């Protein structure tokens, strides 16, 4: 029985050490640090993945920004006039401010919220 207790304590210590070592890595990544592939998936849902789309519906680019929203996160000109990376950068700013609810249909469909 004493051997079993020692083994259990050793396992518990190892688990605790693993958790303590892993914890800094878990909090080091910001909540809005979505991968490029996540943003590509949002754009695929929002605009068919067309980063330069302007259909005249009041929303622009791959992430379908309203112009006022684009400008509120520091965008200049129109979203669809900028490369995907700039749109993603502005998308990250908006996502940090409003969460994935800024893209309600697509974020729900993709399981982001």
């Amino acid at each position: 029985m004493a051997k079993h207790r020692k083994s259990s304590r050793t396992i518990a210590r190892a688990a605790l050490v693993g958790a303590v070592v892993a914890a800094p890595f878990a909090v080091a990544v910001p909540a809005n640090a979505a991968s490029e592939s996540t943003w590509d998936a949002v754009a695929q849902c929002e605009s068919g993945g067309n980063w330069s789309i302007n259909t005249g519906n009041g929303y622009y680019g791959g992430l379908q920004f309203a112009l006022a929203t684009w400008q509120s996160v520091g965008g200049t000109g129109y979203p669809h006039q900028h490369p995907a990376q700039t749109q993603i950068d502005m998308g990250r700013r908006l996502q940090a401010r409003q969460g994935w609810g800024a893209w309600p249909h697509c974020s729900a469909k993709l399981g982001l919220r």
Side-chain angles (χ1 to χ4, degrees):
M1 188 84 164
K3 201 174 213 179
H4 178 70
R5 278 191 195 156
K6 185 176 181 181
S7 174
S8 295
R9 277 188 252 153
T10 302
I11 292 169
R13 281 188 199 128
L16 179 60
V17 168
V20 169
V21 169
F25 297 106
V27 295
V29 178
N32 66 344
S35 68
E36 300 295 315
S37 62
T38 299
W39 289 106
D40 285 337
V42 173
Q44 184 63 45
C45 178
E46 289 286 338
S47 65
N50 184 347
W51 293 96
S52 58
I53 195 166
N54 175 6
T55 62
N57 67 355
Y59 296 94
Y60 307 91
L63 300 176
Q64 291 291 277
F65 280 95
L67 186 56
T69 303
W70 172 259
Q71 293 169 341
S72 78
V73 294
T76 59
Y78 283 85
H80 68 284
Q81 297 170 334
H82 293 273
Q85 189 58 56
T86 301
Q87 293 180 51
I88 290 170
D89 291 344
M90 296 301 124
R92 284 188 170 122
R93 290 179 185 181
L94 181 59
Q95 195 273 333
R97 183 185 294 168
Q98 294 184 11
W100 287 112
W103 300 272
H105 170 76
C106 291
S107 63
K109 180 179 176 181
L110 295 169
L112 298 171
R113 60 183 182 101

